Amino acid sequence: MLETKSICPYCGVGCGLILEVDNNLIMRLYPDQDHVVSRGHICGKGSTAHEPGNSWDRLLYPLKREKDVMVRTSWDNALQEIATKLLEIRKRYGPEAIGFYGGCQNTLEEGYTMMKLARALGTNNVDSCARVCHDPSATALKEMVGLGATSTSVTEIPRSKALVIVGESLTESHPVLVQYLSLLKKNNGKIAVIDPRTTGTAKMADLHLKSRPGTDIYLFNAVANFLISNNLYDRKFVEDRVDGFEEFSRLIKSYTIQEAERITGIEQHIIVEFARLISQKPVIFSWGLGLTQTGGPKAVRSLINLALLTGNVGIDGAGLLVYRGQTNVQGSGDLIKPNVFPNGPMALETAKELEKIWGFLPPMREGKTVTEALLGSDMKAIVLMNFNPAVSFPNRRKVENFLKSLELLVVMDPFMTETAKLAHYVLPSAMWTEKEGSVTSLDRIVKWRFKAASPPGEVKEELEILSLLADRLELKGFSRDPKEVFKEMKTVAKTYSNLTLDQVMDYSTPSRYPENDTVLYRTRFYTSNGKAKLKFEEQPEPKSGLILITGRAVTRYNTDEMISRTPGFSQLAPVIYLNLKDAQRLGIRDNDLVKVTSRCGMAILNARISPDVLEGTVFAYMHVRSINNVVCDELDPETKTPRYKYTEVSISKIENIY
């Protein structure tokens, strides 16, 4: 029995695994005791992550659409026809009519190569699924402290006096991290959760601020004003290391604790208790999709302000922590953006740097985000790599209609997903166990996945598919060797330049970027003048209707393509959870069949009355496929991130028709 080390393909913790392989078949896996973060822990999903690779319905050879039927074709024919059609579309409509978009389970090398190939074709229409989750985090962090990533580590949580968690339930989304929450409480540290719902994590908290959706900015501004007015902020830290305090303190004065109670629904004494809790050191400020998919970068900036005011950045046991939801969403967001080159701003200087390495000058015109592309563009050809937007995107019917309208849709995926069913060409790609390459965790740790088995049938690794397509397009410089791509990538992406393959392949040692220190910003921030920036944001008018919030279930994962092919995991019931008062007002009882409607669409679900749901809100799991028929395609104007957790809906009981 052979043993191979790898990284779990699910959430952004990036747990270390050991795969047991016999005769090219992965028999089982178990957690790696040496991994620097997971430390021998594993969740239920991770413990069965190898099973989908053995699924009976793996795609085994390329498929081509002929009228309404998918038929088998050869790799040579498929790639040649795709290349010919891409060149024809570029000639007819220009390179801006073409886009390349990837999921966040792809390796760094795959995402980098996809992005490079798009730019070699002359388009900056490149993006990843990081757009729909944490681009608001990356945007705010980059602007305020200089790097769009976590500034500390989950391993620092036990050293904190307090951990603030906004819009995230680790018990459902990142269960392996609960070990660190338990250690924190054992060390007499406190947990403060800000979330409209009483989640499993909120039940562990010492303080739960049950805020109304869309009111986080007012809450954070009121707390900031309280800290300044009561001299509870770190004056020396702010004077020495932070810009913009005078203007910020002036603008924040109109935000009061009293008004915060009315707007957020949180009692004044709880807000004050929270303010005093975070005024000490060290404190970690952490957040998830409940913040980014409601208030966008404005809400993230308002939370970062509190960490800067209290001096809780750049010291042990403190900092800014982002809960990333996929195994390489951090790395995908680092490398693949339509308005930024992987080596810096979209400017002639950075373009010429790339030309020296790539052998071609990339285009300078800003591209379309994946949400702009799929929710209202006139693009003609799209290549998707391990991405299932026909299920995962809001306003699903609109996305499906757009994908059907394309002259060319190419999907690389191990399975016939809902998106693949709409494609002109489906190219079978390898599972995570059948290839190698690196991924970046939410901790900024870059680790290597080692290949454990060969792909079945005619399945190819993504790097080989991309390099073969580049050959057909007569483009040079595209390697299928992940180690060679890694070396080029870290030459281009300067934030990764400190890493070596030896470090990345050793699970027992940290290999963090842009430096190996667990805690960033000890002496200076990565801004032009070395100082952080306070950024005041105004609270927009909150929505007043019934608000649909979506979230994760611990037994499910995103669009469920892998989980649905894992023995032992049952189908998630199509349920929507209501507060008792809302249910009574609407005449709905437990288990009633209800119609949930928004301006974008509707779904039929079973009602469940739950004390965990805040009055004025309803909750549904994001994995219920019909829910994105209801979630609207309202995008944050700055980052184009959908507001998945902030859709106004109406609910009505479906009367018995029999």
Side-chain angles (χ1 to χ4, degrees):
M1 190 87 67
L2 299 175
E3 291 190 344
T4 303
K5 287 182 178 266
S6 194
I7 298 295
C8 181
Y10 287 118
C11 82
V13 175
C15 294
L17 305 176
I18 296 177
L19 311 176
E20 288 189 347
V21 187
D22 185 23
N23 196 26
N24 202 49
L25 183 67
I26 300 166
M27 306 302 293
R28 75 179 188 104
L29 60 79
Y30 58 93
D32 186 352
Q33 301 288 335
D34 294 334
H35 191 273
V36 293
V37 171
S38 55
R39 297 176 177 177
H41 290 75
I42 194 173
C43 74
K45 289 193 293 286
S47 67
T48 57
H50 63 295
E51 294 284 3
N54 302 325
S55 178
W56 65 271
D57 63 344
R58 286 284 303 273
L59 295 174
L60 299 177
Y61 42 78
L63 296 169
K64 171 187 176 181
R65 179 172 300 281
E66 290 188 357
K67 296 183 179 180
D68 293 328
V69 180
M70 301 299 288
V71 299
R72 182 172 183 171
T73 187
S74 68
W75 277 104
D76 281 343
N77 288 342
L79 291 168
Q80 188 58 56
E81 290 173 15
I82 291 167
T84 299
K85 291 181 180 183
L86 285 172
L87 293 174
E88 287 175 351
I89 288 169
R90 184 177 68 172
K91 183 177 181 180
R92 191 179 314 133
Y93 304 105
E96 293 82 12
I98 301 170
F100 285 71
Y101 300 109
C104 293
Q105 291 188 3
N106 299 315
T107 65
L108 288 170
E109 295 74 23
E110 292 161 358
Y112 171 85
T113 301
M114 181 197 74
M115 173 274 302
K116 177 182 170 183
L117 178 58
R119 286 176 161 140
L121 271 172
T123 179
N124 283 317
N125 293 332
V126 293
D127 208 355
S128 74
C129 72
R131 176 69 48 192
V132 301
C133 54
H134 273 296
D135 199 71
S137 301
T139 298
L141 286 162
K142 175 74 172 174
E143 180 183 16
M144 296 176 72
V145 296
L147 182 70
T150 287
S151 78
T152 184
S153 167
V154 296
T155 60
E156 290 291 300
I157 289 173
R159 305 177 71 174
S160 300
K161 288 186 178 178
L163 170 66
V164 177
I165 304 173
V166 185
E168 187 74 31
S169 181
L170 299 182
T171 51
E172 280 76 39
S173 61
H174 300 76
V176 166
L177 297 187
V178 174
Q179 63 177 305
Y180 293 107
L181 272 60
S182 299
L183 289 171
L184 171 70
K185 293 185 75 84
K186 185 177 180 180
N187 295 339
N188 297 316
K190 304 294 184 183
I191 299 173
V193 168
I194 302 173
D195 200 302
R197 192 165 62 101
T198 306
T199 62
T201 305
K203 291 172 183 176
M204 295 180 65
D206 302 278
L207 193 63
H208 181 196
L209 289 77
K210 208 166 184 177
S211 56
R212 295 186 182 118
T215 64
D216 297 306
I217 293 173
Y218 200 101
L219 172 64
F220 301 150
N221 285 351
V223 170
N225 186 24
F226 181 87
L227 292 170
I228 294 169
S229 301
N230 291 275
N231 201 30
L232 292 173
Y233 73 103
D234 188 330
R235 185 184 297 271
K236 186 175 189 319
F237 181 89
V238 170
E239 288 177 352
D240 292 347
R241 303 196 60 194
V242 180
D243 282 338
F245 176 74
E246 289 186 11
E247 181 183 16
F248 179 82
S249 60
R250 176 177 59 81
L251 294 171
I252 215 79
K253 285 182 179 177
S254 62
Y255 287 78
T256 66
I257 298 292
Q258 295 78 13
E259 188 68 3
E261 178 177 6
R262 183 186 72 81
I263 291 174
T264 68
I266 306 167
E267 295 178 21
Q268 291 182 43
H269 73 93
I270 294 177
I271 300 175
V272 170
E273 185 179 353
F274 172 73
R276 294 190 181 280
L277 180 70
I278 67 170
S279 67
Q280 59 185 330
K281 289 187 182 69
V283 176
I284 289 177
F285 293 79
S286 65
W287 65 93
L289 301 184
L291 191 65
T292 62
Q293 293 179 344
T294 302
K298 293 180 183 293
V300 177
R301 291 186 189 106
S302 300
L303 178 62
I304 295 172
N305 286 334
L306 299 182
L308 295 177
L309 284 174
T310 56
N312 272 303
V313 185
I315 58 175
D316 294 336
L320 304 162
L321 184 59
V322 186
Y323 298 116
R324 296 279 188 161
Q326 293 202 55
T327 185
N328 195 35
V329 68
Q330 178 66 58
S332 299
D334 290 334
L335 297 177
I336 314 167
K337 290 184 184 295
N339 61 335
V340 178
F341 289 141
N343 61 330
M346 194 168 284
L348 186 58
E349 181 182 354
T350 47
K352 286 184 174 180
E353 287 179 3
L354 289 173
E355 184 180 23
K356 292 176 183 176
I357 299 169
W358 287 352
F360 64 88
L361 189 71
M364 297 293 294
R365 182 176 175 180
E366 189 172 303
K368 288 183 174 65
T369 66
V370 66
T371 44
E372 290 174 310
L374 272 57
L375 289 165
S377 77
D378 57 357
M379 292 170 62
K380 304 299 180 183
I382 285 182
V383 178
L384 298 174
M385 184 167 68
N386 301 317
F387 203 175
N388 192 17
V391 176
S392 63
F393 264 43
N395 203 343
R396 280 184 61 195
R397 297 292 174 246
K398 185 175 182 179
V399 174
E400 287 176 2
N401 289 336
F402 169 76
L403 294 174
K404 289 176 183 177
S405 75
L406 292 169
E407 294 185 18
L408 177 65
L409 175 60
V410 179
V411 172
M412 290 180 243
D413 206 281
F415 304 110
M416 184 58 77
T417 65
E418 293 300 308
T419 304
K421 290 175 184 177
L422 304 174
H424 298 98
Y425 295 88
V426 181
L427 307 179
S429 58
M431 294 291 291
W432 64 283
T433 54
E434 299 163 357
K435 57 187 177 180
E436 61 178 323
S438 57
V439 293
T440 305
S441 75
L442 64 85
D443 246 37
R444 291 180 286 108
I445 293 177
V446 182
K447 288 298 172 194
W448 197 261
R449 279 198 188 128
F450 294 91
K451 184 175 180 178
S454 297
E458 297 178 18
V459 172
K460 292 185 183 296
E461 300 173 29
E462 287 86 339
L463 280 183
E464 183 179 4
I465 297 171
L466 292 167
S467 64
L468 288 172
L469 180 57
D471 289 343
R472 300 304 192 283
L473 292 164
E474 297 185 356
L475 300 171
K476 306 299 182 185
F478 289 85
S479 174
R480 66 184 68 180
D481 182 347
K483 296 182 180 69
E484 290 300 317
V485 178
F486 177 86
K487 292 174 184 176
E488 179 181 305
M489 177 205 74
K490 77 189 196 80
T491 302
V492 169
K494 296 178 177 61
T495 51
Y496 283 78
S497 62
N498 70 303
L499 300 171
T500 68
L501 273 172
D502 287 343
Q503 289 175 320
V504 170
M505 291 180 175
D506 185 351
Y507 285 26
S508 64
T509 62
S511 45
R512 288 184 171 89
Y513 79 95
E515 53 190 73
N516 270 324
D517 197 346
T518 305
V519 176
L520 298 180
Y521 315 130
R522 291 185 185 274
T523 57
R524 70 184 309 276
F525 292 93
Y526 296 156
T527 55
S528 57
N529 67 354
K531 289 189 174 185
K533 298 176 176 65
L534 287 167
K535 299 291 291 186
F536 171 76
E537 297 288 358
E538 288 190 21
Q539 169 67 52
E541 186 67 29
K543 295 179 180 180
S544 56
L546 191 63
I547 303 299
L548 168 65
I549 300 168
T550 63
R552 298 183 187 274
V554 69
T555 58
R556 318 307 300 178
Y557 187 75
N558 291 4
T559 64
D560 274 356
E561 292 297 335
M562 289 180 64
I563 287 296
S564 65
R565 294 170 171 86
T566 303
F569 284 84
S570 58
Q571 186 70 30
L572 193 66
V575 169
I576 190 160
Y577 296 87
L578 298 86
N579 180 277
L580 177 60
K581 290 183 179 179
D582 289 320
Q584 290 174 336
R585 176 175 57 82
L586 295 167
I588 294 171
R589 295 183 178 180
D590 211 32
N591 292 319
D592 277 350
L593 198 63
V594 297
K595 181 168 74 171
V596 185
T597 308
S598 71
R599 65 174 175 82
C600 297
M602 58 84 68
I604 306 297
L605 303 167
N606 290 104
R608 295 285 190 277
I609 297 172
S610 171
D612 296 338
V613 177
L614 182 68
E615 184 180 0
T617 70
V618 293
F619 175 82
Y621 288 113
M622 60 182 282
H623 323 284
V624 174
R625 294 204 162 193
S626 62
I627 203 64
N628 279 336
N629 296 338
V630 180
V631 174
C632 272
D633 54 335
E634 179 186 355
L635 304 181
D636 172 72
E638 188 176 347
T639 60
K640 311 305 179 187
T641 298
R643 289 181 166 144
Y644 283 100
K645 305 186 188 320
Y646 202 37
T647 300
E648 287 185 88
V649 297
S650 61
I651 298 183
S652 58
K653 178 181 176 180
I654 297 176
E655 300 295 340
N656 193 335
I657 61 174
Y658 298 106

